[in-house]
Amino acid sequence: MVTKEDIIKLAKLGKLYLTEEELDSAVKDMTNIIGFANEISKVDTGDTEFDNINGLENALREDIVEESFDEDLILKNVDGGKDGFFYIKKYQN
Amino acid sequence: MKYELVSGLETHVELSTKTKIFCSCRTDFGGEPNTHCCPICIGLPGTLPKLNKEVVRYAIMAGLATNCEINLISKMDRKNYVYPDLPKAYQISQYDLPLCKNGYIQLDSGKKIRIARIHIEEDAGKLVHKGGDVYVDYNRGGVPLIEIVTQPDIRSSEEAREYVEKLQLIMRYIGVSDCKMQEGSMRCDVNISVRPEGSEEFGTRTEIKNMNSLTFMTKAMEYEKNRQIELIENGGKVEQETLRYIESSGTTESMRGKEDAHDYRYFREPDLVTIHTLSEEVENIRKSLPELPTARIKKYIEKFGISEKDAESIVKYKNISDFFEKAIQGIENPKIVSNFIIGQIFSTLNNEQEKESFDIKVSAESLNELCKLVESKKINVGLAKSTLLKMLETGKNVSNFISQEDMQSISEEKLLEICKKAVDSNPNAVKDYLSGKEKALKVLIGFVMKETKGKVDALNTQKNILDTIKNI
């Protein structure tokens, strides 16, 4: 059961600011999401051991430099940034 | 009441691999902002991390060099927190299966500071605050780190300093990091509590974040210890909180309290598979580890007969110790070499930084050449010293200052002859000496040195002069 307190805590951790209305609908949504994901626990897996990476191991990369992306491409999603930086304007209340 | 400090350290060390931990961007310090970046290290959706093999190897090296056990089965976990320095809103780190555990570093007193764990993780980006706005540079984002966590075994700021210095040196010797605190490639978080001396229970602890200088770290620890003692003495209680050290005032201030303590909601990183290291691989890494600082100090003292103080001042700087190792090749008595390093070479280095970078104009081979001339008695120590100073100044080789003629050794007969000449030409000095003025002997020795261009041994010369005077 998801409570309003759970949502408030999660919102705080995620730096989200929700109105009362948004909180109520988030409780409903989250209950649905968890219920949906919980379906999987109904499966009887017997003694089979498994994890979320299918028992795979050691996919390692050699330590070889490849050229990085151009700065303008890196900053393209943030309207070009400011002076080469990602830019976060002072938060105004 | 007397109080005791109880402290444990978490040290972040940036690994000097060529590329980042999960992508192939370079790890070089500095550079124009956001030029060492790609979609993986700026956390774009849909990208997949791929673990750098060398990061695993370096971390295992660090573990073995600090007496750790290696977890052959290890994995990565997500540590969730929302802050602009972390574009994915989670850091890929390790939670319950770190690569290394249960090690220690031994202090000079013999006391062991136990290491609970060493894990690998990615560094965050750099934030620049300007007038309330925040500018973010992700060049450092994704640079590989190891975090070395001790048990609360430290009892004074001096022990903390010694532990960090030893750790720093070990990491430099095995070559996994340059550990430059001023550039941020080594940073310490310090956990501190106090308790009445003799008590077994721990007090409530505070944590001082991101110390990037040893001097400030010891100052911050002293300040925080006294603050906590004063608080308790006045009937107050220490609050569990995270602190920041203010360098200008030498005080600490709260960053966040217990109620704001992070809830990281760790879970297994599903994008990265299990790290399975074979025990043979661990043994191969163990065998490939270079000689560690403590082993070098022991060798210098026991095998080479160098004083403890001199051995320590050479080993303290990896560059100097490596230089020394090269310069003693084929030398029977390495003390000749260490004396030149600590005497003439150190006299040209003005501070710790210059010793650390050890950027001098004389190569190890060149010093070796000079020392061989001394050892084969072709020139005496005095001449070698003055020659070395000239070499340090000009960067020229021994042969530029010492000619073949200089190196022709002077026979015993010839020496005696010159000593006789010294006595004959300086009757006043001889008279002074005979009337008890020991210093007058120096005039005579100086005469011989001048005549032979310093090619003879001073003690032997003195003996010959005394014999000559006796026979007058």
Side-chain angles (χ1 to χ4, degrees):
Chain A
M1 184 60 197
V2 181
T3 65
K4 198 168 169 181
E5 282 65 44
D6 292 333
I7 298 296
I8 291 172
K9 193 184 169 202
L10 280 178
K12 204 172 169 189
L13 286 167
K15 305 245 173 18
L16 296 172
Y17 299 89
L18 302 181
T19 62
E20 275 299 312
E21 266 170 34
E22 286 169 326
L23 273 178
D24 289 336
S25 78
V27 171
K28 228 189 282 166
D29 290 345
M30 195 57 89
T31 307
N32 284 336
I33 292 167
I34 290 175
F36 175 74
N38 248 346
E39 286 292 304
I40 204 161
S41 57
K42 290 181 187 158
V43 182
D44 180 10
T45 53
D47 294 334
T48 323
E49 268 191 41
F50 69 95
D51 56 20
N52 56 356
I53 45 105
N54 297 323
L56 294 170
E57 57 183 39
N58 292 353
L60 297 164
R61 195 188 89 239
E62 296 296 326
D63 186 28
I64 297 168
V65 176
E66 278 172 30
E67 278 318 303
S68 294
F69 277 51
D70 278 346
E71 191 189 313
D72 358 332
L73 273 173
I74 290 295
L75 294 169
K76 204 171 174 181
N77 284 336
V78 290
D79 292 334
K82 196 170 173 185
D83 306 329
F85 291 90
F86 288 79
Y87 171 65
I88 305 157
K89 208 167 156 38
K90 187 177 177 177
Y91 176 70
Q92 305 278 350
N93 216 344
Chain B
M1 201 190 297
K2 277 200 105 179
Y3 289 86
E4 171 180 67
L5 173 85
V6 177
S7 169
L9 297 187
E10 292 164 24
T11 311
H12 285 98
V13 169
E14 257 182 26
L15 297 179
S16 50
T17 53
K18 293 186 195 76
T19 66
K20 293 187 177 182
I21 182 167
F22 300 124
C23 66
S24 304
C25 291
R26 62 186 76 245
T27 52
D28 306 3
F29 178 71
E32 289 297 307
N34 299 303
T35 51
H36 306 162
C37 295
C38 75
I40 296 174
C41 57
I42 61 166
L44 291 188
T47 54
L48 286 173
K50 203 167 177 195
L51 182 59
N52 183 343
K53 202 191 231 174
E54 203 70 343
V55 171
V56 177
R57 194 172 73 86
Y58 277 19
I60 293 175
M61 283 170 79
L64 294 175
T66 52
N67 311 293
C68 285
E69 298 162 29
I70 307 302
N71 271 326
L72 298 180
I73 299 286
S74 183
K75 66 174 170 75
M76 306 307 296
D77 297 281
R78 284 190 187 180
K79 178 181 181 180
N80 297 281
Y81 70 91
V82 177
Y83 205 63
D85 62 1
L86 202 61
K88 300 190 296 299
Y90 57 83
Q91 179 191 33
I92 306 179
S93 177
Q94 296 193 288
Y95 187 54
D96 52 340
L97 280 176
L99 271 171
C100 318
K101 63 181 176 188
N102 301 336
Y104 64 86
I105 283 183
Q106 193 159 21
L107 303 183
D108 288 340
S109 65
K111 177 176 172 176
K112 287 174 179 170
I113 305 297
R114 289 171 301 154
I115 290 170
R117 56 185 281 152
I118 301 179
H119 67 252
I120 54 176
E121 62 186 23
E122 57 183 331
D123 207 346
K126 199 175 97 186
L127 301 183
V128 183
H129 299 269
K130 256 188 237 165
D133 298 340
V134 180
Y135 294 76
V136 195
D137 172 10
Y138 288 120
N139 281 351
R140 201 183 61 190
V143 168
L145 296 177
I146 49 175
E147 181 173 336
I148 302 143
V149 184
T150 73
Q151 301 283 5
D153 288 347
I154 292 164
R155 293 289 172 271
S156 67
S157 57
E158 292 80 25
E159 282 187 359
R161 170 187 272 272
E162 193 188 337
Y163 162 81
V164 176
E165 280 175 346
K166 289 217 150 46
L167 179 68
Q168 190 173 39
L169 202 57
I170 292 170
M171 295 304 137
R172 285 180 180 159
Y173 268 72
I174 61 174
V176 302
S177 174
D178 58 13
C179 289
K180 288 185 181 163
M181 290 190 95
Q182 68 278 11
E183 285 185 10
S185 60
M186 186 179 201
R187 332 187 264 274
C188 295
D189 298 341
V190 191
N191 288 291
I192 294 178
S193 64
V194 296
R195 65 182 175 193
E197 227 165 61
S199 162
E200 290 293 311
E201 274 167 56
F202 291 124
T204 307
R205 60 158 201 229
T206 58
E207 182 182 13
I208 313 173
K209 280 279 181 196
N210 267 329
M211 304 302 317
N212 57 8
S213 119
L214 285 175
T215 312
F216 286 136
M217 184 185 80
T218 46
K219 277 186 186 165
M221 287 179 78
E222 289 300 323
Y223 173 82
E224 184 54 19
K225 175 189 166 187
N226 293 330
R227 187 190 73 87
Q228 291 187 9
I229 293 173
E230 211 168 294
L231 199 62
I232 296 169
E233 292 274 275
N234 292 325
K237 260 177 115 181
V238 176
E239 297 288 329
Q240 188 182 329
E241 57 187 343
T242 305
L243 306 169
R244 171 190 299 129
Y245 181 67
I246 314 292
E247 292 171 7
S248 53
S249 60
T251 58
T252 53
E253 71 170 23
S254 182
M255 283 167 79
R256 56 178 182 264
K258 193 183 179 183
E259 62 278 10
D260 295 325
H262 280 309
D263 176 356
Y264 292 123
R265 294 152 294 142
Y266 278 100
F267 64 89
R268 174 148 198 187
E269 167 58 69
D271 288 340
L272 287 162
V273 302
T274 303
I275 306 162
H276 182 182
T277 314
L278 300 174
S279 45
E280 300 92 86
E281 288 173 310
V282 175
E283 287 320 303
N284 283 339
I285 295 174
R286 195 192 300 278
K287 273 183 227 142
S288 73
L289 279 184
E291 192 172 37
L292 295 174
T294 38
R296 272 205 180 163
I297 289 181
K298 197 165 177 258
K299 179 174 81 181
Y300 293 179
I301 296 171
E302 288 174 8
K303 205 170 148 203
F304 299 164
I306 296 172
S307 73
E308 192 178 328
K309 189 170 160 260
D310 287 358
E312 277 170 5
S313 45
I314 289 177
V315 173
K316 192 175 172 198
Y317 311 95
K318 180 172 188 289
N319 286 338
I320 298 180
S321 184
D322 288 348
F323 177 90
F324 172 73
E325 296 273 329
K326 256 197 232 164
I328 60 170
Q329 294 303 314
I331 300 272
E332 245 168 71
N333 180 12
K335 249 172 112 169
I336 299 177
V337 184
S338 64
N339 285 342
F340 282 139
I341 292 179
I342 286 164
Q344 284 62 46
I345 297 185
F346 275 14
S347 74
T348 65
L349 302 168
N350 298 314
N351 52 45
E352 288 289 299
Q353 252 163 18
E354 286 187 22
K355 283 182 183 168
E356 222 150 74
S357 55
F358 200 57
D359 188 14
I360 61 166
K361 285 182 181 164
V362 172
S363 69
E365 289 75 18
S366 196
L367 179 62
N368 177 268
E369 198 185 336
L370 182 73
C371 290
K372 278 183 177 157
L373 293 179
V374 175
E375 200 157 66
S376 59
K377 297 219 156 53
K378 284 190 176 141
I379 58 171
N380 73 6
V381 175
L383 178 62
K385 281 180 183 172
S386 57
T387 306
L388 179 55
L389 287 175
K390 284 181 213 158
M391 287 160 66
L392 284 163
E393 206 184 307
T394 60
K396 288 181 181 159
N397 285 341
V398 185
S399 56
N400 288 73
F401 303 103
I402 296 179
S403 65
Q404 277 304 317
E405 189 195 330
D406 288 331
M407 283 189 277
Q408 272 158 15
S409 54
I410 292 191
S411 66
E412 282 297 303
E413 295 88 59
K414 177 85 181 161
L415 174 63
L416 189 62
E417 196 182 297
I418 299 169
C419 287
K420 276 182 184 154
K421 191 175 164 196
V423 169
D424 289 343
S425 336
N426 298 283
N428 285 337
V430 175
K431 209 159 76 192
D432 285 350
Y433 175 74
L434 288 173
S435 66
K437 288 181 186 161
E438 295 261 333
K439 274 187 182 167
L441 204 54
K442 287 209 167 133
V443 176
L444 300 169
I445 296 172
F447 180 91
V448 177
M449 288 297 165
K450 207 170 167 190
E451 286 281 308
T452 61
K453 291 182 183 160
K455 274 185 284 183
V456 289
D457 180 66
L459 271 182
N460 196 21
T461 306
Q462 182 171 331
K463 186 182 154 284
N464 273 291
I465 290 174
L466 289 179
D467 284 349
T468 312
I469 295 176
K470 241 186 255 166
N471 293 332
I472 294 176

